[in-house]
Amino acid sequence: MSTVAVTDVIEASAVDVWELLTDLPVRVDWLCTVSSVELLTPGPFGPGTAWRETRTRPDGGDQPEEFLVLIAEPAHRLVLASPGIGVDYRITWTLRAVRRRRRVGTAVTVEHRALPTAPYGRVMALLFGGLAARTVEGAIRHDLTALAATVRSTGRATAA
């Protein structure tokens, strides 16, 4: 099992960060590698919600990824599952209120776990684990930066 965790502070309330994080159609606006989002389940966002994102790979091709909400604790924690080939992924977003320099913010931690489900996945983890971890860490950092920029551009950034 491979785990990568990244934390950043976004100058906005946890409620505002949560709203952007869980507004699925808006994901195409702040995740620059996502070109489309297709909702696979009806109803409000929560456990059981599923969607498919189409991401642009570095080589220019499209990469569809499906996500399923396992746990949704508004403004606190979001746990997603995403099936892969020989590996299943768990992505946990944790939001925690913080104060920095008289500003209200949210410490956002994203933990990405790769759980091998087949011998192929275990072999790939051994061979490419370090490279994959660095790639995932870079992608998470990029997503957090994009999320913070979107919060600022929508006027949701807060000051005390």
Side-chain angles (χ1 to χ4, degrees), residues 3-86:
T3 302
V4 174
V6 177
T7 301
D8 199 1
V9 175
I10 296 176
E11 290 186 2
S13 73
V15 169
D16 288 338
V17 173
W18 179 265
E19 284 178 8
L20 281 173
L21 184 61
T22 60
D23 187 347
L24 299 178
V26 174
R27 291 175 73 81
V28 298
D29 296 334
W30 64 270
L31 288 170
C32 68
T33 60
V34 173
S35 60
S36 69
V37 174
E38 175 190 359
L39 194 58
L40 302 175
T41 55
F45 187 93
T49 298
W51 72 95
R52 179 181 302 115
E53 293 180 355
T54 301
R55 293 180 175 253
T56 305
R57 294 189 317 246
D59 66 4
D62 288 337
Q63 172 78 36
E65 291 186 58
E66 291 189 8
F67 295 92
L68 173 68
V69 176
L70 300 178
I71 299 170
E73 298 169 0
H76 295 291
R77 186 167 72 125
L78 175 62
V79 181
L80 307 174
S82 181
I85 299 172

Side-chain angles (χ1 to χ4, degrees), residues 141-159:
R141 288 188 189 287
H142 189 268
D143 290 352
L144 286 172
T145 298
L147 180 60
T150 302
V151 167
R152 281 192 304 275
S153 72
T154 60
R156 296 179 182 199
T158 58

Side-chain angles (χ1 to χ4, degrees), residues 77-152:
R77 186 167 72 125
L78 175 62
V79 181
L80 307 174
S82 181
I85 299 172
V87 179
D88 282 343
Y89 300 98
R90 295 289 180 274
I91 302 100
T92 302
W93 294 73
T94 305
L95 312 178
R96 183 176 47 84
V98 296
R99 268 184 127 17
R100 286 183 10 172
R101 294 179 234 134
R102 292 192 236 190
R103 292 187 180 263
V104 174
T106 302
V108 180
T109 300
V110 181
E111 182 181 274
H112 187 281
R113 289 184 178 198
L115 308 163
T117 58
Y120 169 81
R122 288 180 184 86
V123 170
M124 294 307 288
L126 287 172
L127 294 175
F128 299 108
L131 175 62
R134 286 189 298 279
T135 301
V136 167
E137 180 180 353
I140 292 170
R141 288 188 189 287
H142 189 268
D143 290 352
L144 286 172
T145 298
L147 180 60
T150 302
V151 167
R152 281 192 304 275

